[in-house]
Each structure stands twice: as structure tokens, then as C-alpha cells.
Amino acid sequence: MMLALEMYRSPAKYLAAKAVGGRIPGVLTGPAAPLRLVTIDEPKAERQGWARIRPILSGICGSDLGMVTGSTKLYFSAVVSMPFVPGHEIVGELLDDCEDLPKGTRVVMDSVLTCAARGVEPCEGCVSGNTNRCDRITVGHVAPGLQTGFCRDTGGGWGNLVVAHRSQLYAVPDGMSDERAVLVEPLAGAVHAALRAQVQPGQSVLVSGAGAVGLFTTLALRELTQAGRITVVAKHAKQRELARAFGASDVVAPDEVFRGVRRSTGAFRLKQDFSGGEFLLGGVDVAVDAVGSKNSIDTVLRVTKAGGRVVLSGMPASGADLSPVWFRELEVTGTYASAREEPNGRPAFETALELAGRAPLDGIVGARYPLYRWREALDHAHSAGRLGTVKVAFDVRAS
Amino acid sequence: MSRPGFVLEVDDRTPPLIVHNGEGFLLERFPLGTRVVYPPEALPAVRDVDEAIQNALLNPIESEPLPELLRPGMRLTIAFDDISLPLPPMKKPDIRQRVIEAVLELAAQAGVDDVELISANALHRRLTPNELRDIVGERVFRSFFPDGKLYNFDAEDRDNLTHLGQTRHGEDVEISKRAAESDLLVYVNVNLVAMDGGHKSTSIGLASYKSLKHHHNSHTMIHSRSFMDHKASKMHHSAWRMGEVLTEHVKVFQIETTLSNDIFGGPIEFLQKREWEWSLKDQASMLGTKRALAAAPPKLRHKIFTDVRANYGLTGVNAGAIEPVHEKTLEMVHRQHLVEVQGQADVGVIGVPYLGPYNVNSVMNPILAACMGMGYHFNSYRGNPIVRKDGALILYHPVPYEFSQLHHPSYVDFFEEVLAESTDPATIEAKFEKQYAEDPWYIHLYRTSYAYHGVHPFYMWYWISHCLDHCGDVVWVGANRKTVERMGFRSASTLQDALEMVSHSVGRSPSITYLHNPPHLIADVR
Ligand SMILES: [Zn+2]
Ligand SMILES: [Zn+2]
């Protein structure tokens, strides 16, 4: 038996949570939350290639919050299996030998449950190394679930035990702290996003959002591409400071994006007649939305130059105005998780491990909570930007 | 008969004094011993203005009379000062209208038919047709504007600029092509302050950025002491050198006019007077105005002030060769504005009014407020600044976060982007000026809309660089804390608090000089 936070299906509560939206901290982690702390059976690791892991630190990701608050799309419900233990940003210790990795190895985990983990013939995505595009995430000998942390059979990082397949694991170098290692999964996502953005040398980039996704994407863009000016949209003082430390050339407040991008790119600025919306003629070569809100997407679409590229990182809200995509012939592309074979020929996790080793990441995990203080933990994560925190994590061993 | 300027020492009988404070004014009680510098009263006005103009055109200084310079088939260009002068705008008819009409009449008599009129706005915003009409009058406007013969100078119209050469200091002289290729360039000036006129008229008013950047930069401006004294102003030295090049190529007939200090009339006439001499009627209208302004919504208050038109009397008109004409002008301007002040003070106090040269029919944004107080009024001295080196300057203005997107689009960006990075004039000049000067959007708005040129906020900031360099402390009374902090200053709620804040550098009983303006004055600090 083990202690874990469990996400359980409760349509009424789910809808109630959705109704209050993500706006009122405290309410969303109150009685309406579809989450509970329980003692449940440990997941089993009986098949070839699987092993048990005891999580040390487990991060709280925006998608986890979206799940708890009900703001995540129902689209998602077909690819999860209830009840499940959330948590996919994990650094932990192997409790069993796992093929070439001996028991006791510290590992991080690519949470995508691909054909290899499911024991089925590899799909087209998996064959080509685009493991994040796997088409078999609902079949095989593992319950449906696009990732560990959304699957009934594997457990998740917000519990005392999780099982994983060798294909998901990467050993953590000895010198690296747990606080850095727990950031490898989100960093891998950022590596993937930065490479998907296909920034050419000298091109200007806008990153909308300076939460963990936006900041890490900024870091990855600066490290992995020859981007010219990188402008980051940040709301809070600490975010602005970090954005600069991570490689932003300029930082602008959300209500200054049009002004700032117009200035930095010498674009022309137009104001629409009725809605009062604004528009740039010209603008950045590439924009990355790292917020997912309608506002943020509307903005990035309007400040990207004709023929430019817009990268949607994180699950987009609905209702954004797509006319710029048509009128400015934009290329809109999504990024999800990370791939085993990225455009630079390596797994995103390897690149992310290197980044985690050398980037200025001290203090990025700004708060740690034991599992039983989950309400405070989620509230903190929900207000992280305002509170000057980038990443909140569960300290699972202290639980 | 007018009375000269006056320095009052505040004693216990001194009533509270008016301090201009944006779109309003305060009554402030100054510490005992404060020296209050009052501008001289208005000089007597010329009685027959048209006759004075005729006389100047027919009996010019070091030049043939204007009729002798006019002949059929020639190209005549008349350039005139733009809307930034005078402040506030004058009641109709504008003095420029009267001069232009007189020049056009002589031109018509001489059979000149190729005439163009250019507003010499340099990098200032274009004037709207109505604003042009206000300056040149209905008749001239209707005769020239529809055919495109009355227009704003466009410093970004490459095809219509001419490079005349360089000064002996390597400064480029690039001006309006039409002006450069004219057989005669007549310049019609209004001199409100000693900074304007002279070679500044043509070689700045009709010049491009390429030319202006030689003197509108932080180095030149920090070394200009002061702009009110062209012999001590590096900016003026440069303009004078350019003027020499310009006049080698173009025949210039300079007409300069000087105005009296008669600004506030009607119900706000009390602003023109010295407080202890207020009649009961003055006191009543002061209280009434104060109450009405306090009660008026911001929009109405703004309108009340933008609608102010000044009486002004013409105190002189001189025509002919630029330099001797300007000498006469300065004599007159100084006679109107100079007030002798004995010695510098530890603290200078200045009320910043609602209007400056760059927010006519617009709003005074934080940069313009700083420029008015620290560029314009602080520099209104001859000899030495009113404040001693490393002394403190206390300014009054609410400095709201308010910008006109129509008139000052690059100011918003300057405030948000440039000042966030540095307030040091030389640093921002090196890092940002070129980008702003060449930004295609600002150029587009300057040329087609009514925006100041992208580089203009930099000039405003350079203009305060002498004050920044000279004063140890700058504190704004009653100002928006955030806007003032962004510019690197501090804000206090009262004069007492401000004095407390600067006491570490000037002590607890500093000497204080309060410049009681407008009307405008030049402190002649001995
Ligand atoms: Zn995640
Ligand atoms: Zn697959």
C-alpha cells in the first residue's frame, strides 16, 4: 500500500470546478476538487523492461493544474484512465534493476507512454522517433493514458511509487541536485518547443508567458538556436528578472506587447475600428505562446510578421481569432511533450539534462510540500507567478 | 509704463504665492527669506503694428529694402515659425500673418508669382490645416494651401532636401530643397524667448535629422550654458556655423518680431500680477478660478487651458541680415525678460505650467513636463543657474501618466523602453537614438499623421542634461510617484516634505529662490 494523491472521476465536481474557473485559489482545491489523498495499492512492474521508482521530487505542471481546476479540455478525457495518480515531472530512485540501469540509479522520466512501453508494434510516430506523436496511447498492456501521470496502471509522481518502462528513463548525472533534475521533464518540453520553432539565425522571437514553460522555452531558444532578439512577455517582477537571466533581450508587460514588438521590429501598428483590437504589419519572425489563453494567442497571432511562424506550446484555449493566420499567411504549429529524436538528432531529454546541468536554475524550485499539504501546494502553484515562484514541487520522500 | 522684474524676499507679511502646477495652480507659503523672482511687467506695445512692419521691410538692417530684392520670375520662399511659438498661442491676427501679408503684398507689386510658404517645423509634428490657418490667416491660407504652396516642412522627404555642404567643424547642412534653391528666403520669426531666432530659424527650422544631430545631442546640450544666451550655448554656436554655410548659398531676409509679456487677460488676469498687489477683484477671481478648476472634470480643465489665447503686444520688428537683426531682437527680449538676481541659491523652486512648446493642442506627458521644468525654465538664466552646483531643484507638476498617441507616439516607447534602461543622456543616445530616429513607423507617422519625429523625446531628454548634471537633487511636489521615479527623480507631497528630502545635501535652512513664472523671465544671476 502507498500514499498518493488520486484524481478520480466525478462529473459533478469536475463541472463545478470548471464553473469557478481557475481564478479563485482555495476554492478550486477545496471540496470541489476532483483530487483526494488516499492509501492505495502500489502499481505493479511485472513485465519485461518495467521497474519501480520511488519519486524524490515531483513537480506540479500547468497541465496538472488545468486538470484539477477543470479548465483542461474534455478532449483529454478519452486519453486518460481514471482513477489515476497525477505527476509526470519526476526525479526518483530505481527500486529494481531496469535492463542496463541498476537498482538505486537516480532517474528522470519521459512520461509519454509509447508503443515500446505498451508492448505493441511501433506506430509510425514511434518508428520515426517522434515518440510524442504516438498513435497507440490507448492500447497494449497498459491502461489508456497518454502519459504517466494520466494513466491508471502506472501510478504517478504525486504518489510514493511509480512504475516506468526503460524507454522512458534517463539516468541523472551524479553531481546534479534533485532540484535541478526535477526540471528535466519541463526542460525537455522546452527543448522540443525551441527546436519546433525552427528559428533561423538572427530571427526575432516573441515568447508570450514567463511561467515555467515560457522561461524554459526562452532558455532553450537562447541555448539551442541562433535567435536574434528574444522578447518575453512577463507579468511579475521576478519573472522579468528571470526572463533576462534566461536570455531575453527585452521583457514587456502583457499590455505592452504591441508597443514593445513594434519598437523592436520597426513594424507598423494599426488599430482596428470596432473591437479596438490592435495589429502589427511586420512583427516578429517567430512567436511562441506559452500561456494558452485566448488573449495570449490572439496577441501572438497579431504580432507575428506575414509568413512567420507561431508555436502553440501548451493546450490552447478556444475562441482565438484566426484571421491573422489567413491574412498574414502564418504557419501555426503545436508542440506537445518531447521526442526521442529531435531535429538535432538527439532525444530531447539528453539535451535537457545538459541544460539542467549548466543553466542558472538555482532557486527555480521555489517551494516544496509534502503530499498531505497538497491543497497549499496547488494554491501556491496556481499563484506561482505572482508569488515569484517558478516551480512548486512535492517532496514525496518527506510525505 | 512697465516695471522691471523684481526680487521679493518672503517675510511674515508675504501672502501665499501662486505656483503653476500643470492644469491648475497652487497657493504656496514659502519659508521666510525665500527669494521670489517676478518677471518684469509687459513692455509697452508698438501702437501701429502694420506701420512698424512696413518700416522694417523698407528700412532693413544691413540689407537692401525688401522691394529691391524682389523681381518677376524669381523663386520666393517664405518660411515661418511653427506652432511651438508663441506660448500660449496669440489672439488673432497672429503677428506672422501680418508680416506674411506685408511681404506678399510687396511681392505681388514686384510681379513675383513663384511663392511658397513653409512652416519651419524641423522634426516637430506637422501642423493641421486649421493650425496653419491660425498662423497665416484666412486670406493667405485660401490663396496658397489648396495648391500645395503652403505646407509643412518634411525632414524625411529625401527628394526635397538639399545638402549645402559642411561647416568647418564637419557639420552637415541639409535643408529644404525649395528653400535652398530659392532666389530669396524670407524668414518670419516670433521671438518669445532668447533661444529662438537668428541662425536657429533657418538652419534648424528647415533642416533634416542629418543636420540637426550635430548639435541636438547630449554632449552639445550639456555644454550649452544657457540656451537663452547664444554666445554661451554650444547648440547655438553650431547653428551659427551652419548659418554661415547656409547664407553662402541662399540669400536670407530675416524678419524677427518680439512680443511683450502680456499673456493672461480677462478673468485670469491675476496670474499676471504680484500677489500682494491683488485687488479684491483679483482675489475673488483667483478663488473663483481655483474652485472652478478643482471642480472641473479633467477634460474640461484641459479645454479651459488649451483655449487660452494671449494678448501679447508687439514690442519690436526688425528685418534684414540675420545676425544684426538678431542682436536687436535679443536686446528687446532681454529688456522684457531679464531680472537681476544676486547669487545662486541652495534650492531652486519652479512651477511647471500646463503648456510647453511641444504640447500645443495636446497633453504634457512626463518627458515634456521634465523638459519644461528642467530644460526650459531651469535654463532660463544668464550667467549662472539660479541653483548652485549640486544644489536641489524642486518642481511642481502632477506629472500624470498621460501621453498623446497622435502627437507623441515615440515618447511612450521612450518612457517605457529607454528610461527603463537608463536615464543617462549619453548612454541612451549611444544605445537608442539611431533606432528611434530611423524607425519606419515613427517616420511614417511624422510624415503622414501629426506625430513628432521619433527622435524628438531624445532631444527633450538631452535638453535636461545640463540640469541633471548641475543639480544634486530633483524633487517634484505633488507628482505621480511612478512616472517621476521612472525618470530618476523623487516625489514629495508638499514643499515641506521636499525640503526635508533634500536637507541632507543642502541643510535645514537652505537659501531658496523661487522663479515666479510664467510670464516668462530670464534670471540674470550675478
Ligand atoms: Zn507537464
Ligand atoms: Zn507509437
Side-chain angles (χ1 to χ4, degrees):
Chain A
M1 300 294 278
M2 69 165 188
L3 189 68
L5 286 165
E6 187 183 67
M7 190 81 169
Y8 62 104
R9 190 182 293 279
S10 166
K13 288 185 177 178
Y14 181 82
L15 288 176
K18 196 172 169 62
V20 301
R23 244 157 267 124
I24 313 163
V27 172
L28 53 94
T29 49
L35 196 67
R36 60 191 172 196
L37 185 65
V38 288
T39 303
I40 49 173
D41 288 335
E42 293 176 355
K44 307 261 182 316
E46 287 155 350
R47 288 184 188 268
Q48 180 66 33
W50 285 80
R52 294 174 305 152
I53 298 165
R54 181 167 302 288
I56 301 168
L57 291 178
S58 214
I60 299 173
C61 164
S63 68
D64 299 327
L65 289 175
M67 204 72 180
V68 176
T69 60
S71 57
T72 299
K73 292 234 178 56
L74 289 166
Y75 170 85
F76 225 46
S77 63
V79 291
V80 301
S81 46
M82 293 277 187
F84 64 80
V85 179
H88 57 273
E89 298 178 356
I90 303 170
V91 53
E93 192 184 331
L94 275 176
L95 296 181
D96 311 305
D97 291 338
C98 187
E99 299 188 345
D100 55 324
L101 298 176
K103 179 178 168 176
T105 307
R106 243 178 355 140
V107 289
V108 289
M109 182 185 74
D110 178 352
S111 51
V112 181
L113 290 165
T114 62
C115 293
R118 294 176 175 281
V120 298
E121 278 297 300
C123 69
E124 200 183 315
C126 287
V127 168
S128 64
N130 292 306
T131 42
N132 56 334
R133 299 182 192 167
C134 179
D135 288 331
R136 304 280 180 265
I137 51 176
T138 57
V139 298
H141 53 63
V142 184
L146 67 171
Q147 295 182 13
T148 305
F150 298 95
C151 171
R152 187 174 60 215
D153 287 351
T154 57
W158 298 2
N160 263 325
L161 198 97
V162 60
V163 297
H165 184 255
R166 176 66 187 92
S167 63
Q168 297 179 272
L169 300 178
Y170 294 84
V172 178
D174 281 343
M176 188 181 289
S177 66
D178 295 329
E179 282 76 11
R180 280 177 183 255
V182 74
L183 301 174
V184 171
E185 195 275 348
L187 279 170
V191 166
H192 180 66
L195 295 173
R196 286 281 284 163
Q198 293 178 23
V199 179
Q200 302 304 306
Q203 282 192 322
S204 57
V205 185
L206 176 79
V207 177
S208 176
V213 177
L215 288 173
F216 291 168
T217 304
T218 305
L219 176 70
L221 283 163
R222 194 45 94 205
E223 292 277 337
L224 306 176
T225 73
Q226 296 180 56
R229 223 172 160 122
I230 301 179
T231 305
V232 175
V233 184
K235 214 189 259 180
H236 306 289
K238 182 72 183 169
Q239 296 179 332
R240 284 195 276 273
E241 186 189 306
L242 286 168
R244 285 194 192 276
F246 285 8
S249 338
D250 315 281
V251 182
V252 295
D255 59 357
E256 287 179 0
V257 181
F258 286 90
R259 188 194 59 70
V261 172
R262 196 218 66 69
R263 261 290 307 138
S264 61
T265 60
F268 279 31
R269 182 176 179 178
L270 306 180
K271 207 161 185 123
Q272 280 170 220
D273 277 348
F274 300 107
S275 65
E278 293 190 65
F279 212 98
L280 295 188
L281 297 179
V284 289
D285 297 300
V286 178
V288 179
D289 167 60
V291 177
S293 71
K294 174 180 179 303
N295 252 340
S296 171
I297 295 169
D298 272 334
T299 303
V300 298
L301 291 176
R302 285 155 183 259
V303 300
T304 306
K305 71 156 61 152
R309 174 177 285 263
V310 174
V311 181
L312 303 180
S313 172
M315 189 178 292
S318 54
D321 174 11
L322 294 180
S323 10
V325 178
W326 157 75
F327 171 52
R328 303 267 83 198
E329 295 199 326
L330 302 179
E331 281 181 47
V332 179
T333 184
T335 85
Y336 162 71
S338 66
R340 174 119 208 136
E341 207 172 314
E342 293 287 349
N344 65 357
R346 310 175 60 193
F349 264 72
E350 280 185 21
T351 312
L353 274 163
E354 282 174 16
L355 276 186
R358 65 167 189 265
L361 295 173
D362 290 330
I364 293 301
V365 175
R368 302 156 56 137
Y369 291 87
L371 289 176
Y372 59 83
R373 308 199 73 158
W374 64 276
R375 292 175 200 273
E376 288 135 283
L378 294 186
D379 275 348
H380 188 165
H382 190 265
S383 311
R386 188 169 55 76
L387 299 174
T389 310
V390 179
K391 183 57 75 181
V392 177
F394 285 112
D395 190 338
V396 185
R397 284 205 296 206
S399 301
Chain B
M1 193 53 208
S2 74
R3 293 185 303 176
F6 181 81
V7 178
L8 167 92
E9 205 150 285
V10 172
D11 60 26
D12 40 20
R13 290 162 306 169
T14 310
L17 306 176
I18 288 269
V19 181
H20 285 269
N21 181 37
E23 289 173 350
F25 55 84
L26 298 169
L27 285 172
E28 186 71 271
R29 269 198 185 280
F30 283 89
L32 297 182
T34 299
R35 278 178 299 183
V36 185
V37 186
Y38 284 94
E41 288 186 353
L43 291 175
V46 168
R47 216 166 287 132
D48 190 334
V49 173
D50 290 327
E51 187 193 281
I53 293 170
Q54 280 302 323
N55 184 44
L57 301 183
L58 299 179
N59 304 293
I61 308 167
E62 293 179 29
S63 164
E64 305 89 323
L66 183 59
E68 286 177 31
L69 299 170
L70 301 168
R71 55 182 161 72
M74 77 181 299
R75 289 154 73 91
L76 171 64
T77 300
I78 302 172
F80 53 90
D81 282 339
D82 76 354
I83 197 171
S84 59
L85 283 164
L87 301 174
M90 71 196 295
K91 282 188 180 148
K92 289 182 190 181
D94 193 287
I95 186 66
R96 285 161 288 198
Q97 170 187 339
R98 294 187 168 199
V99 173
I100 290 169
E101 284 177 347
V103 172
L104 287 172
E105 212 148 289
L106 292 177
Q109 283 166 18
V112 181
D113 52 14
D114 183 357
V115 182
E116 293 189 13
L117 291 95
I118 309 177
S119 153
N121 40 265
L123 303 182
H124 297 174
R125 68 172 174 87
R126 302 188 316 134
L127 311 192
T128 65
N130 280 334
E131 290 167 340
L132 285 171
R133 185 192 281 119
D134 280 349
I135 290 177
V136 302
E138 185 66 36
R139 269 172 62 210
V140 175
F141 182 83
R142 239 187 295 155
S143 317
F144 291 87
F145 185 80
D147 308 334
K149 305 282 186 194
L150 162 63
Y151 52 87
N152 292 288
F153 171 63
D154 180 350
E156 289 289 348
D157 182 0
R158 306 301 324 165
D159 296 340
N160 284 305
L161 293 171
T162 298
H163 191 260
L164 291 178
Q166 289 190 328
T167 67
R168 59 185 189 278
H169 287 209
E171 298 143 319
D172 296 276
V173 182
E174 184 176 68
I175 67 156
S176 149
K177 183 175 176 184
R178 165 74 197 193
E181 292 179 355
S182 288
D183 299 300
L184 182 66
L185 173 60
V186 173
Y187 196 94
V188 181
N189 151 280
V190 188
N191 241 98
L192 198 69
V193 292
M195 182 178 68
D196 300 312
H199 285 293
K200 187 172 179 287
S201 300
T202 43
S203 51
I204 291 184
L206 294 172
S208 69
Y209 171 63
K210 184 176 179 175
S211 211
L212 292 169
K213 70 179 178 196
H214 292 292
H215 43 66
H216 278 58
N217 58 56
S218 59
H219 179 81
T220 307
M221 291 176 120
I222 205 172
H223 291 101
S224 293
R225 316 256 161 93
S226 79
F227 295 123
M228 300 304 161
D229 184 354
H230 76 94
K231 295 198 176 90
S233 157
K234 279 218 178 207
M235 178 181 85
H236 285 85
H237 295 169
S238 177
W240 254 242
R241 287 191 294 272
M242 292 185 177
E244 283 167 25
V245 175
L246 192 149
T247 46
E248 271 168 31
H249 290 82
V250 193
K251 169 84 182 157
V252 181
F253 189 82
Q254 180 88 356
I255 308 167
E256 299 197 349
T257 59
T258 48
L259 302 178
S260 76
N261 249 349
D262 186 5
I263 296 179
F264 302 111
I268 52 170
E269 199 191 345
F270 62 89
L271 288 173
Q272 196 79 19
K273 298 188 179 174
R274 299 164 187 177
E275 292 84 349
W276 72 94
E277 294 175 345
W278 279 350
S279 65
L280 286 175
K281 183 167 152 270
D282 290 326
Q283 292 190 30
S285 46
M286 182 279 294
L287 285 172
T289 308
K290 201 168 179 316
R291 218 171 294 132
L293 285 172
K299 268 205 166 140
L300 178 61
R301 202 158 52 218
H302 183 66
K303 191 177 152 35
I304 292 172
F305 278 99
T306 27
D307 285 353
V308 172
R309 291 287 174 273
N311 296 320
Y312 296 121
L314 180 73
T315 56
V317 49
N318 293 290
I322 296 174
E323 295 184 15
V325 163
H326 192 58
E327 284 305 315
K328 291 254 181 211
T329 301
L330 284 181
E331 219 173 90
M332 204 45 132
V333 169
H334 284 157
R335 197 185 306 165
Q336 177 64 88
H337 290 147
L338 277 182
V339 187
E340 199 179 309
V341 176
Q342 290 303 327
Q344 294 176 301
D346 298 317
V347 177
V349 179
I350 293 172
V352 178
Y354 68 98
L355 180 65
Y358 316 108
N359 74 316
V360 179
N361 299 330
S362 190
V363 296
M364 185 178 277
N365 63 49
I367 292 153
L368 290 177
C371 179
M372 265 318 274
M374 303 169 63
Y376 203 82
H377 291 308
F378 173 83
N379 278 301
S380 235
Y381 67 83
R382 199 168 73 166
N384 299 298
I386 57 159
V387 183
R388 67 165 165 83
K389 175 78 176 147
D390 297 324
L393 185 64
I394 295 176
L395 299 148
Y396 286 75
H397 193 275
V399 200
Y401 183 93
E402 190 182 23
F403 289 89
S404 162
Q405 283 288 355
L406 176 66
H407 295 141
H408 306 118
S410 72
Y411 278 70
V412 194
D413 292 352
F414 180 88
F415 189 80
E416 295 294 347
E417 180 186 35
V418 177
L419 292 183
E421 186 134 339
S422 171
T423 54
D424 172 53
T427 307
I428 65 181
E429 175 177 15
K431 182 152 183 208
F432 291 102
E433 182 189 304
K434 193 166 147 47
Q435 287 178 39
Y436 273 68
E438 292 172 0
D439 188 307
W441 177 241
Y442 300 146
I443 292 175
H444 172 73
L445 295 178
Y446 162 80
R447 300 193 63 187
T448 62
S449 178
Y450 296 98
Y452 278 81
H453 195 275
V455 81
H456 205 259
F458 289 80
Y459 293 171
M460 297 299 97
W461 204 255
Y462 303 158
W463 197 354
I464 73 170
S465 55
H466 169 37
C467 181
L468 285 176
D469 181 56
H470 184 85
C471 296
D473 265 309
V474 177
V475 180
W476 294 75
V477 176
N480 176 321
R481 196 167 298 273
K482 280 194 167 165
T483 52
V484 163
E485 272 174 8
R486 168 60 58 90
M487 298 191 288
F489 312 124
R490 293 186 292 167
S491 107
S493 7
T494 62
L495 176 61
Q496 281 66 37
D497 288 356
L499 288 169
E500 184 65 38
M501 286 160 75
V502 302
S503 63
H504 69 95
S505 57
V506 298
R508 300 227 154 245
S509 47
S511 56
I512 303 173
T513 296
Y514 167 46
L515 284 191
H516 196 296
N517 64 20
H520 193 65
L521 67 87
I522 299 174
D524 193 6
V525 182
R526 306 282 169 90

